[in-house]
Amino acid sequence: MAEYQSPKDRAYVDTLINAASKEASAFLNLKYTAERKDGAIPVKYRELMSVAVALTTQCAYCIESHIKNAVEAGATREEIAETVFIAAALRAGGAVGNGLLAMRLFEEESKKNAE
């Protein structure tokens, strides 16, 4: 397989939706609700948050879609760049937070093995 993700995969949208229509309907309703334009959070900020999440989940389709939406909502190059680094810092911070868990689990396992 030459590539794992390709814009050609979009040809399967209807196939996926039709194969799980109830689940797809629920997902799409949540997506449309989260991306609504009449929320308390302005659209540009919703899209910048969406870009950050897309970067951390590494969804190429989401990155493409939300960058487009962010630009249409007035986001600047600098705002996108800051969003990239904020997302990177939080992702790295998550590793540190999980590292704390790893240290506790290590201590617990070490005590069990010492007994």
Side-chain angles (χ1 to χ4, degrees):
M1 182 180 301
E3 52 190 24
Y4 289 103
Q5 264 188 334
S6 166
K8 292 179 255 177
D9 296 340
R10 288 189 181 98
Y12 294 95
V13 169
D14 288 339
T15 302
L16 178 61
I17 289 171
N18 292 330
S21 61
K22 282 188 134 187
E23 291 82 356
S25 178
F27 169 75
L28 292 171
N29 186 49
L30 174 60
K31 180 183 180 310
Y32 294 132
T33 301
E35 294 176 355
R36 72 187 193 276
K37 296 181 180 1
D38 64 344
I41 300 170
V43 173
K44 181 170 85 168
Y45 301 121
R46 285 176 180 265
E47 290 303 331
L48 290 171
M49 286 188 282
S50 296
V51 168
V53 171
L55 291 167
T56 60
T57 60
Q58 300 175 333
C59 172
Y61 302 114
C62 300
I63 294 167
E64 178 185 31
S65 172
H66 291 292
I67 288 290
K68 177 183 179 296
N69 294 346
V71 169
E72 288 174 2
T76 65
R77 174 179 285 109
E78 293 77 13
E79 288 171 325
I80 297 295
E82 287 183 15
T83 298
V84 168
F85 287 108
I86 290 167
L90 290 173
R91 179 121 179 159
V96 173
N98 284 320
L100 300 174
L101 170 62
M103 296 309 295
R104 178 174 57 83
L105 294 173
F106 175 83
E107 293 297 325
E108 290 171 0
E109 282 302 312
S110 295
K111 286 178 185 174
K112 285 182 196 174
N113 287 333
E115 296 172 352

